[in-house]
Amino acid sequence: MSSVARHYVLAAGGTGGHLIPAFALATELEKRGHHVALITDERGARLPGKPASLTSHVLPAGRIGKNPLHWPKGIAAILEGRRMALRLFESFQPSAVIGFGGYPALPALWAATGARVPSVIHEQNAVLGRVNRFLARRVDAIATSYREVHRLDAKHGDKVHLVGNPVREDVLALRDRPFPPFTEDGLLRVLVTGGSQGASVLSQVVPDGLAMLPPSLRSRLQVTQQCRPEDIDAVRDRYASHDIPAELGTYFEDMASRLADAHLFIGRAGASTIAELTAVGRPAILVPLPIATDDHQAYNTAEVTQLGGARMIRQDRFTPVELAKQIQAIAMNPETLATAAHAAWNCGYPNAAADLADLVESFGSPPLMDVIQVARSVSPQGQEQVA
Protein backbone atom coordinates (compact mmCIF):
# COMPACT_ATOMS: atom_id res chain seq x y z
CA MET A 1 0.00 0.00 0.00
CA SER A 2 1.35 3.38 -0.96
CA SER A 3 2.08 5.86 1.84
CA VAL A 4 1.80 8.84 -0.53
CA ALA A 5 -1.50 10.10 -1.90
CA ARG A 6 -1.63 9.92 -5.67
CA HIS A 7 -4.10 10.98 -8.33
CA TYR A 8 -5.67 8.48 -10.71
CA VAL A 9 -8.05 8.91 -13.63
CA LEU A 10 -10.41 6.08 -14.54
CA ALA A 11 -12.01 6.07 -17.99
CA ALA A 12 -14.94 3.84 -18.90
CA GLY A 13 -17.87 3.45 -21.26
CA GLY A 14 -21.32 4.23 -19.95
CA THR A 15 -22.57 0.69 -19.27
CA GLY A 16 -22.57 -1.22 -16.01
CA GLY A 17 -20.20 -3.79 -17.48
CA HIS A 18 -17.50 -1.14 -17.85
CA LEU A 19 -18.34 1.03 -14.84
CA ILE A 20 -18.96 -1.51 -12.05
CA PRO A 21 -15.30 -2.58 -11.99
CA ALA A 22 -14.25 1.06 -12.32
CA PHE A 23 -16.35 1.96 -9.28
CA ALA A 24 -14.84 -0.96 -7.34
CA LEU A 25 -11.31 0.19 -8.17
CA ALA A 26 -12.16 3.80 -7.26
CA THR A 27 -13.43 2.66 -3.86
CA GLU A 28 -10.27 0.63 -3.24
CA LEU A 29 -7.94 3.46 -4.30
CA GLU A 30 -9.79 5.97 -2.13
CA LYS A 31 -9.48 3.60 0.84
CA ARG A 32 -5.73 3.77 0.27
CA GLY A 33 -5.79 7.55 0.49
CA HIS A 34 -5.64 8.37 -3.22
CA HIS A 35 -7.69 10.86 -5.23
CA VAL A 36 -9.70 9.52 -8.15
CA ALA A 37 -11.55 11.12 -11.06
CA LEU A 38 -13.79 9.43 -13.63
CA ILE A 39 -14.06 10.09 -17.35
CA THR A 40 -17.19 8.69 -19.00
CA ASP A 41 -20.17 9.72 -21.12
CA GLU A 42 -23.49 11.24 -20.06
CA ARG A 43 -25.07 7.81 -19.56
CA GLY A 44 -22.21 6.68 -17.35
CA ALA A 45 -22.35 9.83 -15.22
CA ARG A 46 -25.95 8.93 -14.29
CA LEU A 47 -25.38 5.23 -13.61
CA PRO A 48 -26.46 4.17 -10.08
CA GLY A 49 -23.75 2.93 -7.75
CA LYS A 50 -21.11 5.59 -8.39
CA PRO A 51 -19.16 6.38 -5.18
CA ALA A 52 -20.32 9.73 -3.83
CA SER A 53 -16.78 11.08 -3.68
CA LEU A 54 -15.98 10.18 -7.30
CA THR A 55 -16.02 13.25 -9.56
CA SER A 56 -17.26 12.58 -13.10
CA HIS A 57 -16.03 14.33 -16.23
CA VAL A 58 -18.15 13.86 -19.36
CA LEU A 59 -16.08 13.89 -22.55
CA PRO A 60 -17.11 13.52 -26.20
CA ALA A 61 -16.74 9.92 -27.35
CA GLY A 62 -17.01 9.41 -31.08
CA ARG A 63 -17.55 6.02 -32.71
CA ILE A 64 -15.80 4.78 -35.82
CA GLY A 65 -18.39 2.43 -37.29
CA LYS A 66 -18.70 0.64 -40.62
CA ASN A 67 -20.18 3.61 -42.50
CA PRO A 68 -17.35 5.91 -43.76
CA LEU A 69 -19.78 8.80 -43.98
CA HIS A 70 -19.89 8.91 -40.18
CA TRP A 71 -16.12 8.79 -39.70
CA PRO A 72 -15.41 12.55 -39.82
CA LYS A 73 -17.91 13.26 -37.04
CA GLY A 74 -16.61 10.38 -34.93
CA ILE A 75 -12.96 11.40 -35.38
CA ALA A 76 -13.77 15.01 -34.52
CA ALA A 77 -15.45 13.93 -31.28
CA ILE A 78 -12.50 11.71 -30.32
CA LEU A 79 -10.02 14.54 -30.95
CA GLU A 80 -12.11 16.96 -28.88
CA GLY A 81 -12.32 14.40 -26.08
CA ARG A 82 -8.55 13.96 -26.22
CA ARG A 83 -8.00 17.73 -25.94
CA MET A 84 -10.34 17.92 -22.95
CA ALA A 85 -8.59 14.98 -21.29
CA LEU A 86 -5.21 16.65 -21.70
CA ARG A 87 -6.54 19.80 -20.01
CA LEU A 88 -7.81 17.66 -17.12
CA PHE A 89 -4.41 15.96 -16.80
CA GLU A 90 -2.66 19.36 -16.59
CA SER A 91 -4.64 20.31 -13.49
CA PHE A 92 -5.16 16.88 -11.90
CA GLN A 93 -1.65 15.48 -12.58
CA PRO A 94 -2.59 11.79 -12.59
CA SER A 95 0.00 9.18 -11.69
CA ALA A 96 -1.74 6.83 -14.11
CA VAL A 97 -4.85 6.56 -16.28
CA ILE A 98 -6.82 3.32 -16.18
CA GLY A 99 -9.23 2.42 -18.98
CA PHE A 100 -12.08 -0.07 -18.71
CA GLY A 101 -13.11 -0.22 -22.34
CA GLY A 102 -15.93 1.43 -24.26
CA TYR A 103 -15.61 4.36 -26.62
CA PRO A 104 -15.53 7.02 -23.85
CA ALA A 105 -12.25 5.47 -22.63
CA LEU A 106 -10.49 5.99 -25.97
CA PRO A 107 -9.82 9.78 -25.85
CA ALA A 108 -8.55 9.60 -22.26
CA LEU A 109 -6.16 6.70 -22.87
CA TRP A 110 -4.98 8.18 -26.15
CA ALA A 111 -4.28 11.44 -24.33
CA ALA A 112 -2.40 9.59 -21.59
CA THR A 113 -0.12 7.75 -24.00
CA GLY A 114 0.55 10.98 -25.89
CA ALA A 115 1.34 12.87 -22.68
CA ARG A 116 3.52 10.01 -21.39
CA VAL A 117 1.26 9.41 -18.41
CA PRO A 118 1.43 5.72 -17.38
CA SER A 119 -1.63 3.84 -18.59
CA VAL A 120 -3.37 0.56 -17.82
CA ILE A 121 -6.35 -1.08 -19.49
CA HIS A 122 -8.65 -3.58 -17.81
CA GLU A 123 -10.58 -6.09 -19.91
CA GLN A 124 -13.71 -7.52 -18.28
CA ASN A 125 -14.54 -10.07 -20.99
CA ALA A 126 -12.86 -13.18 -22.34
CA VAL A 127 -12.43 -11.38 -25.68
CA LEU A 128 -10.39 -8.18 -25.85
CA GLY A 129 -12.78 -5.37 -26.79
CA ARG A 130 -12.31 -3.11 -29.79
CA VAL A 131 -11.08 -0.05 -27.88
CA ASN A 132 -8.74 -2.14 -25.75
CA ARG A 133 -7.39 -3.87 -28.88
CA PHE A 134 -6.56 -0.47 -30.35
CA LEU A 135 -4.83 0.61 -27.13
CA ALA A 136 -3.06 -2.66 -26.24
CA ARG A 137 0.27 -1.86 -27.87
CA ARG A 138 0.30 1.70 -26.47
CA VAL A 139 -0.40 1.08 -22.76
CA ASP A 140 1.99 0.01 -20.00
CA ALA A 141 -0.09 -2.86 -18.65
CA ILE A 142 -3.11 -4.99 -19.55
CA ALA A 143 -5.20 -6.37 -16.70
CA THR A 144 -7.42 -9.34 -17.58
CA SER A 145 -10.35 -11.11 -15.95
CA TYR A 146 -9.86 -14.56 -17.50
CA ARG A 147 -6.88 -16.86 -17.91
CA GLU A 148 -7.51 -17.04 -21.64
CA VAL A 149 -8.42 -13.84 -23.48
CA HIS A 150 -9.15 -14.04 -27.20
CA ARG A 151 -8.06 -11.32 -29.63
CA LEU A 152 -5.13 -10.48 -27.31
CA ASP A 153 -1.93 -10.56 -29.34
CA ALA A 154 0.70 -12.87 -27.85
CA LYS A 155 3.36 -10.19 -28.35
CA HIS A 156 1.76 -8.24 -25.48
CA GLY A 157 2.14 -11.18 -23.08
CA ASP A 158 4.88 -9.55 -21.00
CA LYS A 159 2.53 -6.79 -19.86
CA VAL A 160 -0.55 -8.94 -19.13
CA HIS A 161 -1.65 -9.34 -15.50
CA LEU A 162 -4.51 -11.64 -14.47
CA VAL A 163 -6.45 -9.87 -11.71
CA GLY A 164 -10.09 -10.86 -12.28
CA ASN A 165 -13.08 -8.56 -12.60
CA PRO A 166 -13.79 -6.38 -9.52
CA VAL A 167 -17.34 -6.61 -8.16
CA ARG A 168 -19.43 -4.46 -5.86
CA GLU A 169 -18.58 -4.58 -2.17
CA ASP A 170 -22.07 -5.73 -1.14
CA VAL A 171 -21.74 -8.73 -3.45
CA LEU A 172 -18.18 -9.55 -2.40
CA ALA A 173 -19.31 -9.54 1.22
CA LEU A 174 -21.40 -12.64 0.45
CA ARG A 175 -18.40 -14.77 -0.51
CA ASP A 176 -17.78 -16.16 2.95
CA ARG A 177 -21.43 -17.00 3.56
CA PRO A 178 -22.38 -20.66 2.99
CA PHE A 179 -24.53 -21.75 0.07
CA PRO A 180 -28.21 -21.55 1.12
CA PRO A 181 -29.42 -24.92 2.46
CA PHE A 182 -31.16 -26.97 -0.22
CA THR A 183 -32.79 -30.25 0.76
CA GLU A 184 -34.95 -32.91 -0.91
CA ASP A 185 -38.12 -31.18 0.31
CA GLY A 186 -36.92 -27.55 0.64
CA LEU A 187 -37.58 -24.59 -1.63
CA LEU A 188 -35.58 -24.13 -4.82
CA ARG A 189 -35.10 -20.38 -5.19
CA VAL A 190 -34.42 -19.34 -8.79
CA LEU A 191 -33.17 -15.87 -9.78
CA VAL A 192 -33.70 -14.81 -13.41
CA THR A 193 -32.23 -11.61 -14.88
CA GLY A 194 -31.30 -10.40 -18.34
CA GLY A 195 -29.08 -7.46 -17.54
CA SER A 196 -30.12 -3.88 -16.83
CA GLN A 197 -33.05 -4.04 -19.26
CA GLY A 198 -34.10 -7.66 -18.83
CA ALA A 199 -34.31 -10.03 -21.82
CA SER A 200 -37.50 -10.91 -23.64
CA VAL A 201 -36.26 -14.40 -24.50
CA LEU A 202 -36.06 -15.21 -20.80
CA SER A 203 -39.62 -13.99 -20.32
CA GLN A 204 -40.77 -16.20 -23.17
CA VAL A 205 -38.92 -19.38 -22.22
CA VAL A 206 -38.30 -19.57 -18.47
CA PRO A 207 -41.88 -19.82 -17.14
CA ASP A 208 -42.75 -22.68 -19.52
CA GLY A 209 -39.40 -24.38 -18.90
CA LEU A 210 -39.92 -24.34 -15.15
CA ALA A 211 -43.44 -25.71 -15.66
CA MET A 212 -41.95 -28.78 -17.40
CA LEU A 213 -39.93 -29.83 -14.36
CA PRO A 214 -40.96 -32.99 -12.51
CA PRO A 215 -43.69 -32.30 -9.91
CA SER A 216 -41.26 -33.10 -7.06
CA LEU A 217 -39.11 -30.13 -8.11
CA ARG A 218 -41.71 -27.88 -9.66
CA SER A 219 -43.81 -27.80 -6.47
CA ARG A 220 -40.84 -26.36 -4.55
CA LEU A 221 -40.03 -23.49 -6.91
CA GLN A 222 -39.80 -19.90 -5.75
CA VAL A 223 -38.90 -17.55 -8.61
CA THR A 224 -37.62 -13.98 -8.76
CA GLN A 225 -37.46 -12.60 -12.29
CA GLN A 226 -36.46 -9.29 -13.80
CA CYS A 227 -38.51 -8.45 -16.91
CA ARG A 228 -38.82 -5.72 -19.46
CA PRO A 229 -41.75 -3.39 -18.65
CA GLU A 230 -43.57 -4.46 -21.80
CA ASP A 231 -43.25 -8.16 -20.86
CA ILE A 232 -44.08 -8.17 -17.18
CA ASP A 233 -47.87 -8.61 -17.37
CA ALA A 234 -47.62 -11.52 -19.80
CA VAL A 235 -44.95 -13.19 -17.65
CA ARG A 236 -47.07 -12.77 -14.54
CA ASP A 237 -50.05 -14.40 -16.29
CA ARG A 238 -47.88 -17.27 -17.50
CA TYR A 239 -46.53 -18.05 -14.02
CA ALA A 240 -50.06 -17.85 -12.61
CA SER A 241 -51.31 -20.30 -15.23
CA HIS A 242 -48.57 -22.72 -14.17
CA ASP A 243 -49.28 -22.15 -10.46
CA ILE A 244 -45.63 -21.21 -9.85
CA PRO A 245 -45.02 -18.49 -7.23
CA ALA A 246 -42.97 -15.68 -8.78
CA GLU A 247 -41.94 -12.18 -7.79
CA LEU A 248 -41.47 -10.00 -10.86
CA GLY A 249 -39.96 -6.56 -11.31
CA THR A 250 -38.34 -4.37 -13.93
CA TYR A 251 -35.47 -3.49 -11.57
CA PHE A 252 -34.35 -4.82 -8.19
CA GLU A 253 -32.28 -2.43 -6.08
CA ASP A 254 -31.42 -5.18 -3.57
CA MET A 255 -29.91 -7.57 -6.12
CA ALA A 256 -27.12 -8.59 -3.75
CA SER A 257 -29.57 -9.89 -1.14
CA ARG A 258 -31.54 -11.72 -3.83
CA LEU A 259 -28.36 -13.32 -5.08
CA ALA A 260 -27.54 -14.31 -1.51
CA ASP A 261 -30.79 -16.28 -1.22
CA ALA A 262 -30.71 -17.85 -4.69
CA HIS A 263 -29.91 -21.51 -5.34
CA LEU A 264 -29.84 -21.17 -9.13
CA PHE A 265 -29.34 -18.27 -11.56
CA ILE A 266 -30.72 -18.12 -15.10
CA GLY A 267 -29.66 -15.27 -17.36
CA ARG A 268 -27.18 -13.63 -19.69
CA ALA A 269 -23.41 -14.14 -19.55
CA GLY A 270 -22.12 -10.59 -19.22
CA ALA A 271 -18.77 -10.08 -17.55
CA SER A 272 -20.16 -8.49 -14.38
CA THR A 273 -22.82 -11.18 -14.06
CA ILE A 274 -20.26 -13.98 -14.18
CA ALA A 275 -17.89 -12.11 -11.88
CA GLU A 276 -20.65 -11.80 -9.28
CA LEU A 277 -21.84 -15.41 -9.65
CA THR A 278 -18.31 -16.71 -9.15
CA ALA A 279 -17.54 -14.29 -6.33
CA VAL A 280 -20.54 -15.59 -4.39
CA GLY A 281 -20.59 -19.16 -5.71
CA ARG A 282 -23.95 -19.61 -7.43
CA PRO A 283 -24.70 -22.26 -10.08
CA ALA A 284 -26.11 -20.91 -13.31
CA ILE A 285 -27.82 -21.62 -16.60
CA LEU A 286 -26.25 -19.05 -18.93
CA VAL A 287 -27.75 -17.85 -22.22
CA PRO A 288 -25.17 -15.68 -24.04
CA LEU A 289 -26.45 -12.66 -25.92
CA PRO A 290 -26.16 -13.75 -29.57
CA ILE A 291 -25.42 -10.25 -30.88
CA ALA A 292 -22.64 -9.53 -28.37
CA THR A 293 -19.55 -8.19 -30.11
CA ASP A 294 -17.17 -11.01 -31.11
CA ASP A 295 -19.54 -13.43 -29.33
CA HIS A 296 -17.77 -12.46 -26.11
CA GLN A 297 -20.56 -13.62 -23.79
CA ALA A 298 -20.19 -17.19 -25.03
CA TYR A 299 -16.45 -17.04 -24.42
CA ASN A 300 -17.13 -15.64 -20.94
CA THR A 301 -18.84 -18.91 -20.00
CA ALA A 302 -15.93 -21.20 -20.95
CA GLU A 303 -14.07 -21.39 -17.64
CA VAL A 304 -17.04 -21.72 -15.30
CA THR A 305 -18.79 -24.28 -17.51
CA GLN A 306 -15.64 -26.37 -17.94
CA LEU A 307 -15.23 -26.55 -14.16
CA GLY A 308 -18.89 -27.47 -13.61
CA GLY A 309 -20.17 -24.25 -12.07
CA ALA A 310 -22.60 -23.45 -14.88
CA ARG A 311 -24.27 -24.73 -18.02
CA MET A 312 -24.48 -22.75 -21.23
CA ILE A 313 -27.37 -22.83 -23.73
CA ARG A 314 -27.11 -20.95 -27.01
CA GLN A 315 -30.16 -18.77 -27.60
CA ASP A 316 -31.18 -20.65 -30.76
CA ARG A 317 -31.43 -23.81 -28.61
CA PHE A 318 -32.92 -22.10 -25.58
CA THR A 319 -36.35 -23.76 -25.46
CA PRO A 320 -38.55 -24.72 -22.50
CA VAL A 321 -37.65 -28.38 -23.06
CA GLU A 322 -33.89 -27.74 -23.11
CA LEU A 323 -34.08 -25.45 -20.08
CA ALA A 324 -36.01 -28.05 -18.06
CA LYS A 325 -33.46 -30.70 -19.07
CA GLN A 326 -30.51 -28.60 -17.90
CA ILE A 327 -32.17 -27.58 -14.64
CA GLN A 328 -32.87 -31.22 -13.81
CA ALA A 329 -29.23 -32.09 -14.51
CA ILE A 330 -27.97 -29.47 -12.09
CA ALA A 331 -30.70 -29.20 -9.46
CA MET A 332 -32.58 -32.49 -9.05
CA ASN A 333 -30.01 -33.68 -6.52
CA PRO A 334 -29.09 -31.34 -3.63
CA GLU A 335 -25.53 -32.67 -3.64
CA THR A 336 -25.13 -31.94 -7.36
CA LEU A 337 -26.34 -28.36 -6.90
CA ALA A 338 -23.98 -27.78 -3.97
CA THR A 339 -21.07 -29.20 -5.97
CA ALA A 340 -21.85 -26.82 -8.84
CA ALA A 341 -22.01 -23.92 -6.38
CA HIS A 342 -18.56 -24.79 -5.06
CA ALA A 343 -17.18 -25.06 -8.60
CA ALA A 344 -18.52 -21.60 -9.40
CA TRP A 345 -17.00 -20.26 -6.15
CA ASN A 346 -13.61 -21.65 -7.14
CA CYS A 347 -13.72 -19.58 -10.34
CA GLY A 348 -14.04 -16.30 -8.43
CA TYR A 349 -11.39 -13.62 -7.99
CA PRO A 350 -12.26 -12.06 -4.62
CA ASN A 351 -9.10 -9.93 -4.53
CA ALA A 352 -9.61 -8.43 -7.99
CA ALA A 353 -10.06 -4.82 -6.83
CA ALA A 354 -7.06 -4.99 -4.50
CA ASP A 355 -4.88 -6.71 -7.10
CA LEU A 356 -5.83 -4.16 -9.75
CA ALA A 357 -5.11 -1.34 -7.28
CA ASP A 358 -1.69 -2.88 -6.55
CA LEU A 359 -0.98 -2.92 -10.27
CA VAL A 360 -1.89 0.72 -10.90
CA GLU A 361 -0.03 1.84 -7.78
CA SER A 362 3.14 0.41 -9.33
CA PHE A 363 3.14 3.10 -12.02
CA GLY A 364 4.04 6.76 -11.90
CA SER A 365 4.74 9.15 -9.07
CA PRO A 366 2.61 11.42 -6.86
CA PRO A 367 1.87 15.02 -7.86
CA LEU A 368 4.48 17.56 -6.75
CA MET A 369 2.28 19.17 -4.09
CA ASP A 370 1.55 15.79 -2.50
CA VAL A 371 5.28 15.08 -2.33
CA ILE A 372 5.88 18.36 -0.57
CA GLN A 373 3.06 17.73 1.89
CA VAL A 374 4.07 14.18 2.76
CA ALA A 375 7.71 15.22 3.20
CA ARG A 376 6.83 17.62 5.99
CA SER A 377 7.87 16.40 9.42
CA VAL A 378 7.95 17.70 12.96
CA SER A 379 11.24 18.39 14.72
CA PRO A 380 11.90 17.16 18.29
CA GLN A 381 11.12 20.71 19.42
CA GLY A 382 7.65 20.49 17.88
CA GLN A 383 8.39 22.83 14.99
CA GLU A 384 7.23 21.83 11.51
CA GLN A 385 10.05 21.45 9.03
CA VAL A 386 10.37 20.35 5.42
CA ALA A 387 12.67 17.40 4.81
Side-chain angles (χ1 to χ4, degrees):
M1 183 180 296
S2 174
S3 60
V4 179
R6 297 183 177 187
H7 296 177
Y8 293 102
V9 170
L10 313 186
T15 67
H18 296 304
L19 281 168
I20 288 174
F23 293 164
L25 176 62
T27 299
E28 177 65 24
L29 290 172
E30 288 176 347
K31 283 182 180 178
R32 301 183 182 198
H34 301 305
H35 308 287
V36 185
L38 173 69
I39 287 176
T40 186
D41 56 16
E42 292 183 358
R43 181 176 52 164
R46 298 191 301 267
L47 192 78
K50 183 174 74 69
S53 57
L54 183 60
T55 302
S56 296
H57 300 269
V58 175
L59 268 63
R63 291 174 176 265
I64 309 298
K66 296 180 179 180
N67 188 343
L69 295 177
H70 297 161
W71 290 358
K73 182 178 179 180
I75 292 171
I78 292 171
L79 290 173
E80 176 59 21
R82 183 176 183 272
R83 285 190 290 270
M84 293 173 66
L86 286 170
R87 289 197 294 271
L88 172 63
F89 297 167
E90 288 177 1
S91 60
F92 195 65
Q93 299 180 51
S95 292
V97 178
I98 303 91
F100 290 85
Y103 283 98
L106 178 56
L109 270 294
W110 190 15
T113 57
R116 297 186 179 180
V117 176
S119 55
V120 179
I121 54 175
H122 178 270
E123 178 56 59
Q124 300 87 51
N125 292 295
V127 180
L128 199 65
R130 290 176 180 175
V131 168
N132 282 348
R133 286 203 298 271
F134 175 77
L135 295 166
R137 68 181 179 86
R138 297 170 170 82
V139 298
D140 297 286
I142 301 169
T144 63
S145 302
Y146 294 90
R147 297 184 186 279
E148 182 177 2
V149 179
H150 300 264
R151 305 295 294 271
L152 175 57
D153 198 313
K155 67 185 179 184
H156 302 314
D158 60 343
K159 55 184 176 182
V160 172
H161 303 261
L162 175 63
V163 300
N165 192 11
V167 300
R168 297 170 295 170
E169 285 190 312
D170 58 347
V171 172
L172 189 59
L174 303 174
R175 183 168 176 82
D176 294 330
R177 290 174 53 173
F179 185 63
F182 177 61
T183 61
E184 293 285 357
D185 57 357
L187 289 174
L188 174 62
R189 290 188 289 271
V190 180
L191 176 63
V192 186
T193 76
S196 60
Q197 297 298 320
S200 290
V201 68
L202 299 174
S203 297
Q204 295 162 8
V205 173
V206 174
D208 292 345
L210 294 176
M212 291 182 176
L213 292 172
S216 61
L217 195 59
R218 171 180 164 175
S219 63
R220 296 185 285 130
L221 288 171
Q222 187 175 76
V223 181
T224 299
Q225 182 163 346
Q226 178 196 29
C227 307
R228 290 179 180 271
E230 61 268 28
D231 296 335
I232 194 166
D233 289 337
V235 176
R236 184 176 290 111
D237 292 342
R238 192 165 296 181
Y239 275 119
S241 69
H242 295 316
D243 197 25
I244 296 175
E247 180 185 358
L248 308 180
T250 57
Y251 178 76
F252 295 114
E253 291 186 2
D254 57 340
M255 190 59 76
S257 63
R258 295 175 186 276
L259 187 60
D261 293 336
H263 295 110
L264 178 65
F265 173 88
I266 303 173
R268 292 301 195 192
S272 291
T273 295
I274 292 183
E276 293 187 350
L277 291 171
T278 55
V280 179
R282 292 296 180 269
I285 307 291
L286 299 169
V287 186
L289 179 68
I291 61 172
T293 305
D294 298 318
D295 200 23
H296 68 256
Q297 287 203 3
Y299 286 105
N300 288 349
T301 69
E303 183 175 317
V304 69
T305 55
Q306 288 170 5
L307 294 179
R311 290 168 177 263
M312 188 264 278
I313 308 174
R314 288 282 190 176
Q315 184 162 311
D316 59 359
R317 296 193 302 107
F318 185 58
T319 63
V321 172
E322 182 64 20
L323 177 61
K325 174 184 173 182
Q326 297 297 338
I327 293 175
Q328 288 181 71
I330 202 171
M332 278 297 290
N333 187 314
E335 184 176 336
T336 303
L337 192 65
T339 299
H342 187 65
W345 190 90
N346 280 335
C347 293
Y349 292 88
N351 299 319
D355 290 346
L356 182 55
D358 289 344
L359 176 62
V360 303
E361 276 189 332
S362 69
F363 291 99
S365 59
L368 178 61
M369 287 305 299
D370 283 352
V371 173
I372 293 173
Q373 290 169 359
V374 82
R376 290 185 181 276
S377 61
V378 177
S379 69
Q381 292 75 29
Q383 295 177 330
E384 186 179 69
Q385 59 184 16
V386 177

